[in-house]
Amino acid sequence: MVYQPASGARDLLPLDVEKKRWIEERLQQVFHRWGYHRIITSTLERMDTLMAGEAIQRQMVIQLQNGEDDELGLRPELTASIARTVVTRMAGVTYPQRLYYNANVFRRTWESRHNRQQEFYQAGVELLGAGGLLANAEVLLLVADCLAALGLREWHLILGEAGITRSLLSAFPVNLQDKVRSAIAHLDRIAIDNLPLSEKLRDRARIMMDLRGSSADVLQKVSNLDLDQEQRQAINNLKSLVKLLESEKKIPLILDLSLIQTIDYYTGIVFEVVNNTESQTRVLGRGGRYDQLLGLYHPQGENIPGIGFGLNIEDLYQVLLSTQQLPQVTPASNWLVAPETPNANAFAFAYAQKLRDCTDLVRVEIDLGGRDADAIRQYARDRSIVQIAWIKADGSPTIESLR
């Protein structure tokens, strides 16, 4: 029998781990510089937590067998788990809270392709307890800083506004809103043409589908729609954000008010980070504002504003492969410590520990015996170890350099 990983799972070999860690460490440095602190939440959650008030579809969650009454599942994303943790475990904290994570998530996929991946790695942030222009701008500029730290250039941000899109959909009959929403999300003009809509509403749906492009053009188009005062205020808020982002000149921006996320807890801006090459378009991450999510878990139902994003480590990995920035080999050990006789074994371990106790990271291996000196030297060369410490029976070392 050939043993393979479970369907949808993936093994990471040592070199894969080094490449993944290279990405994560650079993202973590950016998070720290912006004042964010790491949070680790449970991989396993109750289903009512994971579904976030039906905002996340049940079929997306990988459920587990449980003998108790609770329905359990593996987290398909981190935001709901962090929201639950903050309001139930961090009562009395000062806001805003700046939190980041680096974790795996699990999503059930229904594509027909065999062994479709269902475990993913993400790194991202949640900014909790702050709404408005500056909080939105902070998170989007943080995204740009993350990609700059990775040396990525060919990317752009697609920015939408879930509140505006949802309010524009309210003009359609209630029984057709989900179908219109789905057609707009998939840019499906044929579906719009086949829905039983008045010509005025059909035109409105087509306009909503075309609310994508340069910020000036999109804002002009949406301003020409029949909007109420609340909708106009939301448009003005979006204009202020776009103006601030464009003044920073850090974010290549596409405005898209047809952008609709599959997760439905977003209440304000939503966005996707997209890498564009001649051969492929790849979504590197997603995020948005969710001002009512924490209230689902709060003991008194108190709403606490929040905004965040998650970056997909595997997609970043694939994009960075072509740049030659990622590690090409696993790090070599600095030393091989070889006892010359059995009487030198204890001295060899003591000498290796002395090397490891250096202030800087020093990688030290012990030769485990069973080969002659020439074989030990060949092993060191094969592993790119440049120094051997031969330990004599009296504990004295002889240093050999293989450079």
Side-chain angles (χ1 to χ4, degrees), residues 39 41 45-46 49 80-93 95 128 293-302 304:
I39 187 170
T41 62
E45 292 271 13
R46 289 163 43 119
T49 296
S81 294
I82 292 174
R84 186 268 307 162
T85 302
V86 168
V87 299
T88 60
R89 303 286 308 282
M90 297 173 64
V93 297
Y95 288 103
L128 305 176
L293 177 62
L294 274 71
L296 296 176
Y297 309 111
H298 196 283
Q300 286 77 47
E302 178 185 344
I304 299 169

Side-chain angles (χ1 to χ4, degrees), residues 124-144:
V125 307
E126 309 295 347
L127 173 56
L128 305 176
L133 173 64
L134 294 182
N136 289 348
E138 173 173 320
V139 167
L140 294 177
L141 291 170
L142 176 51
V143 171

Side-chain angles (χ1 to χ4, degrees), residues 22-280:
W22 185 95
I23 296 170
E24 291 169 343
E25 286 180 348
R26 277 152 183 78
L27 294 177
Q28 181 172 277
Q29 289 169 8
V30 176
F31 298 155
H32 286 173
R33 286 198 294 266
W34 283 71
Y36 284 72
H37 300 274
R38 187 170 185 182
I39 187 170
I40 299 176
T41 62
S42 174
T43 306
L44 189 65
E45 292 271 13
R46 289 163 43 119
M47 283 296 293
D48 56 355
T49 296
L50 295 179
M51 292 174 64
E54 307 299 326
I56 295 173
Q57 297 175 352
R58 176 178 286 268
Q59 60 264 34
M60 183 188 294
V61 181
I62 298 176
Q63 298 182 56
L64 302 181
Q65 295 293 332
N66 180 33
E68 307 297 328
D69 292 336
D70 288 343
E71 288 187 287
L72 302 178
L74 300 175
R75 60 190 179 206
E77 51 90 59
L78 270 295
T79 303
S81 294
I82 292 174
R84 186 268 307 162
T85 302
V86 168
V87 299
T88 60
R89 303 286 308 282
M90 297 173 64
V93 297
T94 302
Y95 288 103
Q97 282 289 309
R98 291 177 168 88
L99 305 172
Y100 81 87
Y101 58 85
N102 180 7
N104 53 352
V105 297
F106 306 85
R107 296 192 199 106
R108 186 181 301 281
T109 53
W110 299 101
E111 289 90 340
S112 58
R113 185 164 45 167
H114 176 66
N115 205 30
R116 179 73 173 175
Q117 187 174 342
Q118 298 186 93
E119 180 181 9
F120 308 88
Y121 294 94
Q122 288 187 343
V125 307
E126 309 295 347
L127 173 56
L128 305 176
L133 173 64
L134 294 182
N136 289 348
E138 173 173 320
V139 167
L140 294 177
L141 291 170
L142 176 51
V143 171
D145 211 3
C146 286
L147 300 181
L150 297 175
L152 283 178
R153 300 183 185 279
E154 302 298 322
W155 69 276
H156 60 269
L157 187 88
I158 300 176
L159 178 64
E161 221 286 358
I164 294 173
T165 304
R166 192 174 288 114
S167 69
L168 293 176
L169 285 169
S170 66
F172 295 89
V174 174
N175 63 318
L176 295 177
Q177 285 180 13
D178 284 345
K179 293 181 179 180
V180 174
R181 182 181 187 274
S182 176
I184 291 172
H186 294 94
L187 302 179
D188 189 346
R189 296 178 185 278
I190 295 176
I192 292 295
D193 290 342
N194 290 329
L195 287 174
L197 298 170
S198 68
E199 201 56 39
K200 181 179 179 181
L201 286 178
R202 204 182 309 281
D203 287 343
R204 185 184 184 91
R206 290 170 183 148
I207 290 171
M208 288 180 64
M209 205 175 289
D210 289 334
L211 294 177
R212 176 188 173 100
S214 72
S215 55
D217 289 345
V218 171
L219 290 170
Q220 181 61 47
K221 285 179 183 178
V222 74
S223 296
N224 290 334
L225 292 173
D226 182 20
L227 303 175
D228 60 29
Q229 185 175 353
E230 185 175 343
Q231 290 170 330
R232 291 199 177 278
Q233 182 59 53
I235 295 297
N236 288 335
N237 293 340
L238 185 59
K239 286 180 179 178
S240 297
L241 176 61
V242 168
K243 182 178 179 181
L244 178 55
L245 295 177
E246 291 180 342
S247 71
E248 289 291 320
K249 296 183 173 58
K250 290 184 177 181
I251 299 180
L253 184 64
I254 294 174
L255 204 55
D256 184 0
L257 296 184
S258 67
L259 179 62
I260 296 173
Q261 302 286 23
T262 54
I263 294 175
D264 199 26
Y265 50 56
Y266 293 110
T267 58
I269 65 166
V270 290
F271 53 91
E272 292 183 345
V273 183
V274 178
N275 173 256
N276 242 344
T277 63
E278 292 181 0
S279 59
Q280 190 175 26

Side-chain angles (χ1 to χ4, degrees), residues 335 337 346-356 364 389 391 395 397 399:
W335 289 86
V337 178
F347 292 117
F349 277 106
Y351 189 81
Q353 191 58 46
K354 179 181 176 181
L355 293 172
R356 295 186 187 111
V364 184
I391 308 299
I399 308 303

